Amino acid sequence: MDLVLSPELLAALFGVALLAGFIDTIAGGGGLLTLPALLLAQVPPVAALATNKLQSSFGSLTAALTMLRRGIVRFDDIRGLVVGSLVGSVLGTLLVQFTDPGILMFLIPLVLVMIALYFLLVPTAGLEETPARMSRRTYSMTLAPLVGFYDGFLGPGTGSFFAFSKIWFRGRNLLGATGAAKVMNCASNVASLVVFIAGGKVVWSLGAAMIAGQILGALIGSHTMIRHGSRIIRPLVVCMCLLMAVSYIWKEVL
């Protein structure tokens, strides 16, 4: 594809990716910034999804490694969740290359608004560990691959879905759920990326500039999240869920 790679464009994409990496690490929804930026750069839709997955994979990997290194998440506790997320993401990525993702546009805004309302109306949600509503095995075989499938198929909001499901179904606190979401999101991103690379859909030149921004943004976001916990996670999750819902609805209206 013929793209004009000016220093200004690469610098703009770096900046967008940095902000998206910060937001994505704490609350999810960074794709609201990066995907439109790629489309504005005249990247075709499927190639934009693929390139977006490339840069977001490095952001989620940076955040996941930080969570694991700081002990917020133990890999032994989420090994099965990672596998489920990975498998679901591969299936979703394969399907999106032959299917119109618009079929999800009616359901996703409703789910995002429900998540935002949950955190608004239940201020104690995620403050402490609670009894699990679903076993780890059942969660690994159902919800982890389902959210992973969504990530491969469309993507924006995946981190919010992972974190909310860990709080509601597995009884995790907000920091622990968000940390686990980073590792599962990393698995789904990388799995999806491999499929896109195999299909030759990634625009590497643009992706490289955005990778640098994502890594820096994810590092800043990870340390901010660990330091401030639910005080910063909760309001950002609410804001990003509502923004993503509005974005989906706006696309449908237009």
Side-chain angles (χ1 to χ4, degrees), residues 29-59:
L32 275 182
L33 302 176
T34 53
L35 192 54
L38 286 165
L39 292 171
L40 285 173
Q42 305 302 307
V43 180
V46 175
L49 283 171
T51 307
N52 185 58
K53 195 61 66 175
L54 170 69
Q55 59 92 36
S56 65
S57 293
F58 280 84

Side-chain angles (χ1 to χ4, degrees), residues 33-131:
L33 302 176
T34 53
L35 192 54
L38 286 165
L39 292 171
L40 285 173
Q42 305 302 307
V43 180
V46 175
L49 283 171
T51 307
N52 185 58
K53 195 61 66 175
L54 170 69
Q55 59 92 36
S56 65
S57 293
F58 280 84
S60 60
L61 176 61
T62 301
L65 291 176
T66 303
M67 295 298 106
L68 290 166
R69 188 173 63 251
R70 296 293 294 272
I72 304 299
V73 180
R74 294 178 64 252
F75 187 73
D76 287 345
D77 293 337
I78 60 170
R79 185 185 293 115
L81 308 183
V82 168
V83 173
S85 174
L86 190 151
V87 172
S89 180
V90 169
L91 295 175
T93 307
L94 288 171
L95 187 61
V96 76
Q97 300 183 60
F98 307 100
T99 309
D100 178 11
I103 60 176
L104 289 178
M105 294 299 184
F106 296 101
L107 178 62
I108 300 306
L110 177 61
V111 177
L112 287 167
V113 169
M114 289 175 63
I115 292 174
L117 289 175
Y118 174 71
F119 284 114
L120 276 174
L121 300 177
V122 188
T124 58
L127 290 182
E128 298 179 355
E129 300 275 331
T130 59

Side-chain angles (χ1 to χ4, degrees), residues 21-28 62-64 66-68 70 72-73 163 174-183 217-234 236-237:
F22 176 84
I23 293 172
D24 222 12
T25 297
I26 297 175
T62 301
T66 303
M67 295 298 106
L68 290 166
R70 296 293 294 272
I72 304 299
V73 180
L174 189 54
L175 180 59
T178 305
K182 298 305 107 182
V183 182
L219 282 172
I220 297 172
S222 296
H223 290 290
T224 301
M225 183 176 74
I226 292 170
R227 182 175 181 179
H228 297 287
S230 62
R231 287 182 299 170
I232 189 170
I233 297 173
R234 183 184 304 277
L236 264 180
V237 167

Side-chain angles (χ1 to χ4, degrees), residues 183-203:
V183 182
M184 290 188 288
N185 204 177
C186 177
S188 63
N189 276 341
V190 171
S192 177
L193 175 61
V194 169
V195 177
F196 275 131
I197 291 174
K201 305 297 184 181
V202 176
V203 183

